[in-house]
Amino acid sequence: MKENRETTGRENWSGRLGFILAAAGSAIGLGNIWRFPYITGENGGGAFILVYLLCVAIVGLPIMICEITLGRHTQRNPAGCFAMLTPKSSLLSHFLGAGMVLTGIALLVFQSYGWGIAALVLGALVFRKSWRLVGIMGVLTGFLILSYYSVVGGWAIGYAVKAAANQLSFDSMEPAKETFVNFVSNPLPVIGFHLLFMLLCVLIVYKGIQKGIETACKIMVPLLFIIMLMLILRGLTLPGADAGIRFCFTPDFSKLTAQGVLIALSHAFFTLSLGMGAMITYGSYLGKDENIFGAAVWIVALDTLFAILACLMIFPAVFAMGFEASEGPGLLFQVVPAVFHKIPFGPLWAVLFFLLLLMAALSSGISLLEVVTAYLVDERKWPRHQAVVLSGIVIFQLGALCAVSLGDWEAMRGTEKIITACFGGAKASFFDLIDNLTSNWMLPLGGLFIALFTGWIWGVRKAIEEIRHGSKNFADVHLLTLMAGLKDDPSHNGGTHPLTLATLWGIFIRFVCPVAILITFLHTIGWLNLTP
Ligand code: PHE
């Protein structure tokens, strides 16, 4: 670790715990608390949770290891990382670029102009930039996600304030819904809260890796856990809460659709902060002697734990109060205040709940801002402080557009028409467009390319060499030996390594992950229909 700091001048995490908590803080966010419960509610509960766990284990964990390894090896932001490792010419990237250009031409012929032009431009870029594009796309994705993420973070602040002022006492769903719609469509206060959220992010990232991000996460992640436990205990002790528990833990496979499986997979990327290089960036501050595999398992396990806890926090209360589990994206901001109204000391629980949401969003928001900052510092040689403040300002402005696009603001009408005309389908706001573009397209695509790049271009062998520092068991001990508890004992291999964690990981990165992501992706764009 010391050696890193001396040779690259790069600040490192203070140690293993700091890294794990910061990365877990990035992973645990609105995805766990806001999104996971409502998609679970919409997709039938227990069976969906099982499929989600499978996706996390099969695709999430291998790519998490991949990203941290890429970061630690190159000690760079995602764009710098790919620039450093991309070979002079790559047949695979030329092939992909040509495929995209041809697809673009075909789409234009079929008069799908929006997608056609997008495919053409992207194809040309892939051709020119090759794998470097993956890193650049990662930084761009971070920039875009933070713009709308910060708006939702602002909603959490706004709702915490409302709860404290006791303005959230609804006894049925209708006024709760109305309040929410009125709140998000009134641009000025929403932009104010969004500004506050961005300021908090800037303030933390400004202070640097150890003093800023690490310290903030060391406080916020344990606090999150405590608040969550309190809220779970409160929910569980309500009469009728057992229906909620049953809903979460009794798998009913008849309710699970192919669509549900695909939602589970793309959610795995979002919730683990994968596919855009947040973990590459955090990995770049990791010391050489730390155990990458062990840390990745911890991060994934903590994120999963918080997702399950979020369901345990929300569903028992929702069922006990007689609300619908399949309420959709409004589940949190509409059902939760209504639920809290009906229990003793409601406003207090509601304030706690929205503070919890705010902290979860903040610990993820700083990781998004750090990606953009690290890019400007490494590649553009900007001083860190200037990079944080300026990117904060630009992201705030884009976020303000997202916030305004949800309201009924005349000037935004034009963009809605353009978005709808270009991409067809339902009427979409700028906010929805960015959310959809990043979560359903850029993250899975980024994940696919990160796996393909590591598996086939940079090479599993080099990646494993990097992981070996700090984790001997990963590549040198037979899997059975390891499972039997005979750790650190390469002698059981007889000098060869037929089956180790490393070989298993290599197979996943080269074959299993790309195929799984590709299937999801083709389904998302409608070229493969798995729904019976
Ligand atoms: N993982 C975060 C969440 O669950 C969102 C996020 C995505 C953060 C990508 C960083 C990068 O809310």
Side-chain angles (χ1 to χ4, degrees):
M1 203 164 78
K2 227 180 189 156
E3 175 202 345
N4 282 338
R5 237 175 275 160
E6 277 160 12
T7 49
T8 64
R10 206 174 173 76
E11 195 185 351
N12 274 15
W13 305 107
S14 68
R16 180 179 152 87
L17 183 73
F19 169 66
I20 291 177
L21 286 183
S26 163
I28 300 162
L30 297 171
N32 305 58
I33 301 173
W34 166 63
R35 206 145 161 215
F36 188 64
Y38 90 72
I39 55 177
T40 302
E42 284 179 335
N43 289 286
F48 178 81
I49 295 188
L50 268 185
V51 171
Y52 163 77
L53 291 180
L54 221 69
C55 291
V56 165
I58 292 176
V59 180
L61 182 61
I63 296 189
M64 176 71 75
I65 297 172
C66 210
E67 284 203 19
I68 301 175
T69 308
L70 282 168
R72 191 177 71 176
H73 184 76
T74 57
Q75 307 261 302
R76 293 276 154 81
N77 68 93
C81 163
F82 278 89
M84 197 165 151
L85 299 180
T86 295
K88 278 212 178 65
S89 86
S90 152
L91 210 61
L92 186 58
S93 75
H94 283 156
F95 180 76
L96 286 171
M100 282 183 191
V101 169
L102 289 179
T103 314
I105 294 173
L107 285 169
L108 286 183
V109 171
F110 287 107
Q111 298 188 338
S112 178
Y113 297 113
W115 292 125
I117 292 172
L120 268 184
V121 172
L122 211 66
L125 276 174
V126 171
F127 223 89
R128 248 185 75 81
K129 294 261 170 205
S130 182
W131 296 94
R132 263 169 244 124
L133 196 63
V134 181
I136 299 169
M137 191 170 89
V139 177
L140 188 70
T141 312
F143 183 86
L144 291 176
I145 294 184
L146 185 54
S147 70
Y148 77 86
Y149 204 85
S150 160
V151 174
V152 184
W155 293 352
I157 304 182
Y159 259 62
V161 173
K162 271 179 184 292
N166 202 6
Q167 287 173 3
L168 296 179
S169 37
F170 316 114
D171 39 19
S172 68
M173 278 300 287
E174 276 66 45
K177 217 171 239 171
E178 213 182 290
T179 305
F180 180 68
V181 173
N182 285 341
F183 175 70
V184 299
S185 53
N186 188 3
L188 265 188
V190 171
I191 291 180
F193 290 125
H194 155 60
L195 176 66
L196 198 60
F197 184 87
M198 270 318 289
L199 271 178
L200 289 174
C201 285
V202 167
L203 218 68
I204 297 174
V205 177
Y206 190 89
K207 289 194 155 181
I209 301 304
Q210 275 195 24
K211 281 209 191 106
I213 298 179
E214 191 179 317
T215 310
C217 289
K218 274 183 170 164
I219 299 170
M220 288 196 289
V221 175
L223 210 59
L224 268 180
F225 187 69
I226 295 170
I227 300 183
M228 226 163 177
L229 279 189
M230 282 166 63
L231 289 165
I232 290 175
L233 283 180
R234 174 64 272 201
L236 288 182
T237 45
L238 293 171
D242 49 328
I245 308 269
R246 249 178 284 127
F247 178 77
C248 294
F249 295 116
T250 330
D252 176 1
F253 284 96
S254 66
K255 288 203 189 124
L256 190 71
T257 57
Q259 187 70 25
V261 178
L262 301 164
I263 292 176
L265 188 65
S266 43
H267 180 68
F269 276 101
F270 187 82
T271 186
L272 291 172
S273 308
L274 295 178
M276 45 75 62
M279 292 301 165
I280 296 182
T281 311
Y282 273 16
S284 75
Y285 306 117
L286 187 65
K288 278 277 182 223
D289 46 3
E290 302 292 347
N291 178 342
I292 291 183
F293 176 70
V297 171
W298 262 107
I299 299 163
V300 170
L302 280 174
D303 182 74
T304 310
L305 174 75
F306 273 81
I308 307 273
L309 287 182
C311 285
L312 277 181
M313 171 172 76
I314 290 171
F315 289 120
V318 166
F319 276 83
M321 294 299 155
F323 289 118
E324 281 294 315
S326 53
E327 193 50 49
L331 185 69
L332 210 73
F333 288 96
Q334 295 166 22
V335 174
V336 169
V339 167
F340 284 132
H341 169 65
K342 295 195 175 177
I343 59 184
F345 302 110
L348 177 76
W349 296 111
V351 173
L352 262 188
F353 177 81
F354 288 109
L355 281 183
L356 166 97
L357 194 64
L358 169 64
M359 279 195 295
L362 203 55
S363 61
S364 302
I366 52 180
S367 71
L368 291 160
L369 186 58
E370 179 57 36
V371 172
V372 182
T373 304
Y375 165 76
L376 293 172
V377 172
D378 293 347
E379 307 306 305
R380 306 272 153 211
K381 308 287 173 238
W382 286 22
R384 185 177 170 89
H385 289 169
Q386 180 187 334
V388 179
V389 173
L390 285 184
S391 43
I393 292 175
V394 178
I395 293 171
F396 162 73
Q397 287 172 339
L398 190 66
L401 277 185
C402 290
V404 166
S405 79
L406 289 177
D408 200 18
W409 199 40
E410 284 300 318
M412 291 303 288
R413 287 273 165 79
T415 60
E416 266 186 27
K417 280 202 193 102
I418 296 170
I419 292 165
T420 316
C422 288
F423 295 97
K427 186 168 155 276
S429 66
F430 189 59
F431 182 103
D432 297 330
L433 173 80
I434 295 204
D435 178 16
N436 186 12
L437 186 73
T438 50
S439 336
N440 296 340
W441 295 80
M442 294 172 93
L443 292 185
L445 261 187
L448 173 67
F449 290 136
I450 286 170
L452 284 177
F453 181 80
T454 311
W456 298 93
I457 307 296
W458 185 40
V460 171
R461 184 184 294 276
K462 290 201 189 112
I464 289 176
E465 277 313 313
E466 179 63 44
I467 302 174
R468 251 204 187 104
H469 294 283
S471 168
K472 292 217 170 47
N473 290 322
F474 190 69
D476 301 322
V477 182
H478 194 292
L479 198 58
L480 293 178
T481 312
L482 202 61
M483 281 164 74
L486 298 165
K487 284 187 191 164
D488 301 311
D489 192 4
S491 64
H492 273 76
N493 284 327
T496 54
H497 321 276
L499 182 62
T500 57
L501 279 173
T503 46
L504 204 64
W505 176 74
I507 294 170
F508 270 77
I509 280 299
R510 283 162 72 98
F511 302 103
V512 182
C513 297
V515 170
I517 302 169
L518 211 61
I519 292 176
T520 318
F521 195 65
L522 290 179
H523 189 281
T524 308
I525 56 179
W527 289 4
L528 184 75
N529 193 357
L530 297 172
T531 315

